[in-house]
Amino acid sequence: MLPEDCLSVILSFTSPHDALRSSLVSSDFRSAAESDMVWERFLPSDYPEIVSSSVTPLEFCSKKELFQCLADSVLIDGGNKIFRLEKSSGKKSYILSAKELSITWSSNPLYWTWIPMSESRFSAVGVLRTTDWLEIRGSIMTRTLTPNTTYGAYLIMKISDRAYGLDLLPLETTLEVGNQVSCSKVVLQHRQDKKQMGTLKGIEGNKKQGTVSERGDGWMEIELGKFFSGEDDEQVKMSLTEVKGCHLKGGLVIQGMEFRPKHHGK
């Protein structure tokens, strides 16, 4: 029989998923798996800054409870970002609100309007009223993410039932890291539907970038691309653009941009 401290050290080199499973083995493993030593290692090194930037004060009595709070996602940075830890691995995810993105003419109420939506945790989402120049850009530094992890970048959006002009020409998605640039195209096909606000179809490009899918939270997402967060700190730039059409379009609803770990085959 190993002392509890030794069990805790061993478990700290596994994963949150493995630590939780080991607690079912015996009371000794359960006690070791509850220790702060284990869950301190599963928390990101910058967790004090994340906790202090939470819009709502977090209540926890142990590092395990803190991990669970962060795994449930928290609103941070004045309500402009959502932070979440992946429950199985402890890897970091972020959602930047639409206000954190660079959207052409978004400050002009003739083109964009900002409204609250009950389906969004952010105070406001961006709704495209009309434009002939659609350009949405975002960026993140890899130092804020989990090192040595493959991430996907996703634009979270909907299409309103009054949308028009979005399906006339394909939009281009771009992801840039250093000198590496990947591009693809996506067509927004809008139609009336009781179950969802529009449908989308990815075309060209690779199998994943430019594809669209329905999320579990009722929104839809366009995969802008994937990248690897290595040891070096690099800026990752993403965009969705359609600037050559010179035709009016409207009805696109933007909640934000998400960066989350990708898994094999997904």
Side-chain angles (χ1 to χ4, degrees), residues 126-194:
V127 180
L128 176 61
R129 301 184 65 183
T130 186
T131 187
D132 61 358
W133 185 316
L134 182 61
E135 187 173 13
I136 302 170
R137 300 184 182 276
S139 66
I140 195 168
M141 302 301 295
T142 56
R143 69 170 180 273
T144 65
L145 304 172
T146 301
N148 301 317
T149 300
T150 299
Y151 274 85
Y154 307 85
L155 183 70
I156 306 173
M157 45 77 67
K158 286 186 178 183
I159 300 178
S160 75
D161 55 6
R162 296 184 178 181
Y164 61 92
L166 294 171
D167 54 355
L168 296 180
L169 287 173
L171 305 177
E172 183 175 76
T173 69
T174 303
L175 188 142
E176 179 181 352
V177 184
N179 295 325
Q180 298 182 345
V181 181
S182 58
C183 302
S184 189
K185 289 183 172 62
V186 61
V187 172
L188 307 186
Q189 294 183 320
H190 45 78
R191 62 179 174 84
Q192 296 281 345
D193 194 305
K194 294 181 179 180

Side-chain angles (χ1 to χ4, degrees), residues 23-88:
S23 65
L24 303 176
V25 174
S26 67
S27 58
D28 290 333
F29 269 90
R30 182 164 54 253
S31 179
E34 295 283 336
S35 73
D36 280 352
M37 179 190 301
V38 173
W39 293 93
E40 175 86 26
R41 189 175 181 89
F42 296 153
L43 290 168
S45 59
D46 60 346
Y47 79 84
E49 290 85 352
I50 296 168
V51 171
S52 64
S53 66
S54 175
V55 172
T56 303
L58 302 181
E59 297 181 1
F60 55 93
C61 297
S62 66
K63 292 299 193 300
K64 180 182 178 182
E65 288 187 6
L66 173 57
F67 182 92
Q68 292 171 334
C69 287
L70 298 179
D72 289 336
S73 78
V74 293
L75 201 59
I76 63 172
D77 291 354
N80 290 318
K81 298 177 185 175
I82 294 175
F83 173 85
R84 180 176 62 86
L85 290 179
E86 192 174 64
K87 290 183 178 181
S88 61

Side-chain angles (χ1 to χ4, degrees), residues 103-122:
I103 303 176
T104 301
W105 296 331
S106 61
S107 60
N108 190 326
L110 293 177
Y111 300 102
W112 288 83
T113 183
W114 295 88
I115 62 171
M117 288 188 70
S118 58
E119 302 96 321
S120 174
R121 292 180 64 185
F122 296 120

